[in-house]
Amino acid sequence: IIIYTNYPFFLYFIRRINQLRGLRSCADSKTYHVKFKREAHRVSLNLLLHIISIMRILRSDLLHELSKSPLHTLEVIDLRRYGICKLGGFAECPNLHTILLSENSISSLQGIEDATAAWNLDLSKNAIVDVESLSKLPALGWLNLSNNNLTYEQVAKLVNTSIVDVTLEHNESLHDGYSQLEYRRNLVYLLPKAWCIDHCFVTSEERKKAIDYFEDGEGKGSDVAKLASDSVRKGKSCIQLGSGMFH
């Protein structure tokens, strides 16, 4: 059986099981020949399938293998298109400020809270439905959450996170039933500490209009207004929270 792969994680696991009889690694061509008898051959296939499944869980040893440098010195890592479905290992990367994770299979951001130095995060083109862990980071410079499965309930969890530029376009639930103007107003109100939303600067006038609409105008009592008044705001109104990093 010949297996071709371009995934560094797969190469990492193959090297770890080189001691298995009959498994010969050709590192240059990234081609692997499994030479077992029929019974052993079936076992080896199961093992390889198991490797494929566990390599989608990010861990510190995989980060080290990919970065080729000590994790405590790692500052930037590109993990785009690796089939990752679960995050982890960031606790050992105290200087990691840029993480590129687009085009994976991530649904939950559990584990991202350990990336305490994170400033630039590209999480676009995943299947993210939960940003609870992301809300544990106090501030971010650039956050790309476009092309995911986020709802306004999840967006509201970022109410206390200061963000220079957040991108949320192409999350279908955020546009469902809303015009582009209403979509923008919803985000401006739910993200009082964001400077830019979808690459467009939030002006003080725009912020004030959103506050007036949801707290004193026609939007009072709406679904978005209710989200803003839930426990996620810890009893603070949008006015009390102010315009984020401007205060």
Side-chain angles (χ1 to χ4, degrees):
I1 294 176
I2 302 176
I3 300 173
Y4 299 93
T5 178
N6 290 318
Y7 284 95
F9 289 177
F10 192 85
L11 304 183
Y12 167 80
F13 282 111
I14 286 291
R15 285 196 291 270
R16 292 299 182 269
I17 61 172
N18 269 339
Q19 70 274 19
L20 291 177
R21 184 182 61 186
L23 185 63
R24 179 163 57 86
S25 169
C26 305
D28 292 340
S29 63
K30 298 181 181 178
T31 301
Y32 301 90
H33 307 269
V34 182
K35 294 183 178 179
F36 289 122
K37 294 181 180 180
R38 175 170 296 183
E39 294 77 16
H41 173 73
R42 286 197 297 266
V43 172
S44 65
L45 279 179
N46 289 336
L47 177 59
L48 292 175
L49 289 173
H50 179 62
I51 289 173
I52 291 172
S53 67
I54 64 175
M55 77 180 187
R56 300 176 69 197
I57 302 175
L58 199 57
R59 304 195 312 273
S60 58
D61 54 346
L62 300 183
L63 286 171
H64 176 72
E65 181 67 20
L66 185 61
S67 65
K68 304 297 182 182
S69 62
L71 293 184
H72 71 276
T73 67
L74 186 63
E75 296 184 359
V76 179
I77 195 162
D78 188 347
L79 298 168
R80 291 173 292 181
R81 298 181 295 277
Y82 276 103
I84 296 169
C85 63
K86 187 175 181 181
L87 302 179
F90 293 126
E92 298 185 37
C93 308
N95 297 304
L96 185 59
H97 58 73
T98 299
I99 308 173
L100 306 178
L101 281 163
S102 65
E103 298 182 67
N104 282 288
S105 302
I106 303 165
S107 60
S108 171
L109 293 179
Q110 184 176 0
I112 198 68
E113 69 273 14
D114 293 328
T116 54
W119 185 248
N120 302 308
L121 288 176
D122 185 359
L123 297 161
S124 62
K125 298 181 181 179
N126 278 279
I128 299 170
V129 296
D130 184 4
V131 298
E132 180 70 34
S133 296
L134 189 61
S135 67
K136 297 176 183 178
L137 298 176
L140 290 166
W142 173 62
L143 174 62
N144 190 346
L145 286 166
S146 63
N147 291 279
N148 279 287
N149 299 319
L150 295 178
T151 63
Y152 283 113
E153 182 179 1
Q154 292 302 311
V155 171
K157 292 181 180 180
L158 301 176
V159 63
N160 292 312
T161 302
S162 296
I163 310 171
V164 175
D165 189 354
V166 57
T167 304
L168 287 158
E169 56 192 0
H170 305 304
N171 282 274
E172 291 186 8
S173 293
L174 302 184
H175 294 274
D176 190 19
Y178 295 104
S179 67
Q180 186 62 27
L181 177 63
E182 291 169 334
Y183 156 80
R184 171 79 178 178
R185 183 172 57 198
N186 293 344
L187 294 181
V188 168
Y189 185 65
L190 291 175
L191 297 172
K193 293 191 174 185
W195 280 27
C196 297
I197 297 175
D198 292 340
H199 315 297
C200 185
F201 186 77
V202 180
T203 66
S204 57
E205 181 181 359
E206 186 178 22
R207 185 86 67 190
K208 183 179 184 302
K209 286 182 177 179
I211 292 172
D212 290 343
Y213 178 82
F214 285 110
E215 298 192 1
D216 298 312
E218 296 179 7
K220 188 174 184 179
S222 66
D223 291 341
V224 172
K226 290 176 182 177
L227 283 174
S229 63
D230 281 346
S231 58
V232 68
R233 287 182 179 272
K234 299 179 180 179
K236 298 179 180 179
S237 72
C238 195
I239 293 177
Q240 291 171 314
L241 284 170
S243 297
M245 291 178 281
F246 294 107
H247 283 250

